[in-house]
Amino acid sequence: MTVLPVVAQAVAGGGVEKLINTVASGIALGAIYAILALGFVIIFKATQVVNFAHGAIAALGAYFVVYFATVLNVPGRLIGSAPKLLQWSLSALVAVLVAAVIGMVVERTAIRPMIGEPLFAVAMITLGLDLVVRTITADYLGNQLRALGDPWGAGVVDIGVLRVSQTQVVMIVVTGVAMAGLAWFFRTRVGVAMRATAFDQEAAMAQGINVGKVFATAWAIGAALAAIGGIFASMSPRAAGVTPLTAFVAFRAFPAVVIGGLDSIPGAIVGGMLVGSTEVFVGSYLSGVSWLGVGFSGIVPWLLMMLVLLVRPYGIFGTEEVRRV
Amino acid sequence: MRGRPGLFTRYQTEMSLLPTTTQRVALISLLVAALVMPLGGIPLLGFLGDGDWLVILNRALVFAVAALGLNLLTGVAGQVSLGHAFFMAVGAYTAVVLGGEAGTTVWGLGLPIWIWLPAAGIAAALVGMLVSPTAVRVRGLYLAFVTLGLVFIGLHLWRNLGKIAGGPTTGREWPPLELALWRGQDPLVSFDSAGPWFGVELGAEAKTYFFVLGFAALFALISKNLMRTRIGRSWTSIRDRDIAAEVMGVNESHSKLQAFAISSFYAGVAGALYAVVLGRVIPESWDLLLSVEFIAIVLIGGAGTVAGTLLGTFFVVLIPRVVEDFTFWLAGQAETGGAFSWLANLVVATTSDDFGLVSTGAAGPGLSVFQLNIVLFGVLIIVFLIAEPLGLFGMWIRIKHYWKGWPFTY
């Protein structure tokens, strides 16, 4: 209980202004985690695969943006007269699409042969994939920090006392759009097929649903969302660019998923917001508490996850596993 | 029964460690080979007695201890753990606080090995017992995430506990591998300095080799015996069907507690030995890659089997060296224009503007040899899980059955 007075003292020290700004950047970081968690949950729900390579794919997506926007300038070189914002956004779109294709390739080559195998075995395959993708990305990055070259840079928006960076506004908007898009997607024909497959794979197959196609779609969407999350995780307020460590930042979306429940889409969003806000709050209010150590906010998600699991072993919204003899 | 190795007339013979004569002969010749190897006594494989190969073999033997522990937890009791590196670190840091030399910036009590080595195992086992209640509540893949979290929390601790772990980039010195009665006294036996033993001149690596070989053999025997006693059977039953096990009277939480405690004990001892054999370890060494390496060992070797785990350990630890040697041999071929230079030109990049998958130079465009090995790990995990889920041990079983039934295929 010695922690409480310290926290109270720390919170009192900043004033309302600091509080509002912390809430805002908490929501922005929460949006990153939520979008990463969302991709993870979609893959898990549709294909029953725990994707440990999610962080690696996120970093790879961010690297593609570096490559397409700053090295190759695709498709910017074709439309040289267009504004920089449009050029960069198109490059990012191309990067996300390439990540989606990579997700499909991964599903087809490494995951499809494992249908019907134990969950644990498939999870270990994704762990192997994580090593492969993470190492190759690190090699192409040359083990250094590479800026994404986004048009916003370190620019800020002032709304009264609230000061948020432009990238954070973009993050929250894109996350909102992605969620709305997904809500719409789950009402389309393919989306309904995916929901049916998530409910019962064999029954879905018996109804004439092409389960293989559903798997590929789920991995494409999951990898695309991972890439978007990775791009935002390596932009201005969080970092100055992609590094080999970006994958580990994206790893912190795992606690978000687990807190929300592995198979719950609202859980992913709630978990992401919860983890993001807690991390930012600890980072800004408890950074002066020396015995917590340097970089304590980085392990807050994991500690929060363990706390939640002790109370609710399947996360907040997760379906409890039915145990039968 | 001669010629009928599958026929057992007594339960005792069926449960014995080595039921057939072939197995007994194989084990004894393996042990003899292991003993004469550092003297360069094995024909064709004499190079294994060289100092630099012995360093790798020592690493493999230490890894074998840790992998045997993970095999008990994951292979036999079925509890997925990504936190093995964390438990190894707990053991290693217990060892260094008890056995290391005190400095101005670090703690150390300078106690002898017979205190710090068991203490390393016990400390890790206690931490494992703290984690196990979570394992009873949290099932399957959720447990994998909890143990994954342990690795990151551990890394944070080691980075910030400078008094225990030393500087974040420098680490600290571990005590030497020598047996003394008490601190300050001359060591009775030193395992890491060259000198004669029983009239045979031995290098430092060879002495360390005998020490860790003894430990690996001891821990292999313990886990083999654990697996055929009441405890081991309760673990297997929990892995195969936990509710049925409970109905039959297996206390689930008690069994999981035992599994975590014993597995962590193995990890703690192995962690202490690993750090001592290396001499100096930085806090970042206890990362996720180390945990994944053990998962890879257990999966590639064959989950749930002692022989498979040992095979897997040697496979995983020796492969990087083989890959490295092969890469540099190929690079040499490319330069001298040998018979395989066409392959070398395709695969190896020797200068920074050369195309290739692997680069031997520091700034080449391809993967470095170290990175290539990590990628290879990942690929091996994937390939083995898809093609041979029972691992190397499964391959051996298949070969055995082929010859057993020959000329029939069934």
Side-chain angles (χ1 to χ4, degrees), chain B residues 143-201:
Chain B
L143 181 62
F145 284 108
V146 171
T147 49
L148 179 67
L150 280 184
V151 173
F152 288 105
I153 292 170
L155 275 176
H156 175 76
L157 289 177
W158 320 135
R159 273 187 214 122
N160 286 290
L161 295 174
K163 287 274 186 197
I164 294 173
T169 52
T170 51
R172 68 179 285 189
E173 201 83 39
W174 258 258
L177 201 58
E178 57 190 23
L179 180 64
L181 280 182
W182 197 245
R183 60 178 158 200
Q185 296 196 350
D186 284 339
L188 298 177
V189 195
S190 170
F191 296 99
D192 57 4
S193 56
W197 263 2
F198 305 111
V200 185
E201 195 63 38

Side-chain angles (χ1 to χ4, degrees), chain B residues 78-396:
Chain B
Q79 305 300 305
V80 186
S81 170
L82 291 172
H84 220 54
F86 169 74
F87 293 116
M88 284 177 78
V90 170
Y93 287 125
T94 309
V96 81
V97 167
L98 290 177
E101 288 304 314
T104 49
T105 54
V106 287
W107 290 330
L109 294 173
L111 295 171
I113 189 169
W114 55 268
I115 293 179
W116 61 251
L117 194 54
I122 291 165
L126 288 177
V127 177
M129 284 160 90
L130 279 180
V131 176
S132 78
T134 333
V136 178
R137 248 184 104 63
V138 180
R139 276 161 202 290
L141 291 164
Y142 281 91
L143 181 62
F145 284 108
V146 171
T147 49
L148 179 67
L150 280 184
V151 173
F152 288 105
I153 292 170
L155 275 176
H156 175 76
L157 289 177
W158 320 135
R159 273 187 214 122
N160 286 290
L161 295 174
K163 287 274 186 197
I164 294 173
T169 52
T170 51
R172 68 179 285 189
E173 201 83 39
W174 258 258
L177 201 58
E178 57 190 23
L179 180 64
L181 280 182
W182 197 245
R183 60 178 158 200
Q185 296 196 350
D186 284 339
L188 298 177
V189 195
S190 170
F191 296 99
D192 57 4
S193 56
W197 263 2
F198 305 111
V200 185
E201 195 63 38
L202 286 171
E205 294 90 359
K207 285 186 172 178
T208 311
Y209 168 81
F210 283 120
F211 184 81
V212 288
L213 177 69
F215 265 91
L218 177 70
F219 277 98
L221 185 67
I222 293 174
S223 61
K224 189 85 190 165
N225 274 331
L226 270 176
M227 280 160 68
R228 52 187 198 133
T229 50
R230 188 187 172 87
I231 298 174
R233 285 193 294 272
S234 73
W235 289 344
T236 320
S237 63
I238 280 182
R239 175 193 65 190
D240 291 342
R241 189 69 84 196
D242 51 357
I243 294 183
E246 275 182 280
V247 169
M248 287 192 300
V250 173
N251 185 339
E252 191 189 1
S253 55
H254 192 68
S255 273
K256 283 184 178 172
L257 182 82
Q258 281 172 330
F260 264 94
I262 294 174
S263 157
S264 307
F265 184 87
Y266 274 68
V269 171
L273 287 175
Y274 175 69
V276 166
V277 168
L278 281 180
R280 182 179 272 278
V281 177
I282 58 168
E284 298 296 325
S285 312
W286 313 104
D287 60 356
L288 182 62
L289 180 63
L290 192 65
S291 281
V292 175
E293 236 172 308
F294 290 109
I295 291 276
I297 287 174
V298 170
L299 291 178
I300 290 174
T305 59
V306 170
T309 307
L310 293 177
L311 264 179
T313 311
F314 281 92
F315 188 75
V316 165
V317 178
L318 295 185
I319 276 272
R321 172 64 195 249
V322 174
V323 169
E324 192 180 331
D325 279 2
F326 183 68
T327 312
F328 282 97
W329 175 78
L330 266 186
Q333 286 277 310
E335 272 161 27
T336 56
F340 289 95
S341 53
W342 56 272
L343 182 64
N345 279 329
L346 276 178
V347 178
V348 186
T350 43
T351 54
S352 58
D353 53 348
D354 189 5
F355 171 78
L357 197 66
V358 192
S359 64
T360 51
L367 299 165
S368 69
V369 177
F370 175 70
Q371 286 173 325
L372 174 71
N373 276 318
I374 298 179
V375 171
L376 214 59
F377 265 142
V379 172
L380 278 175
I381 295 179
I382 297 170
V383 167
F384 264 93
L385 276 172
I386 291 177
E388 182 60 273
L390 290 174
L392 292 170
F393 193 76
M395 280 172 148
W396 162 241

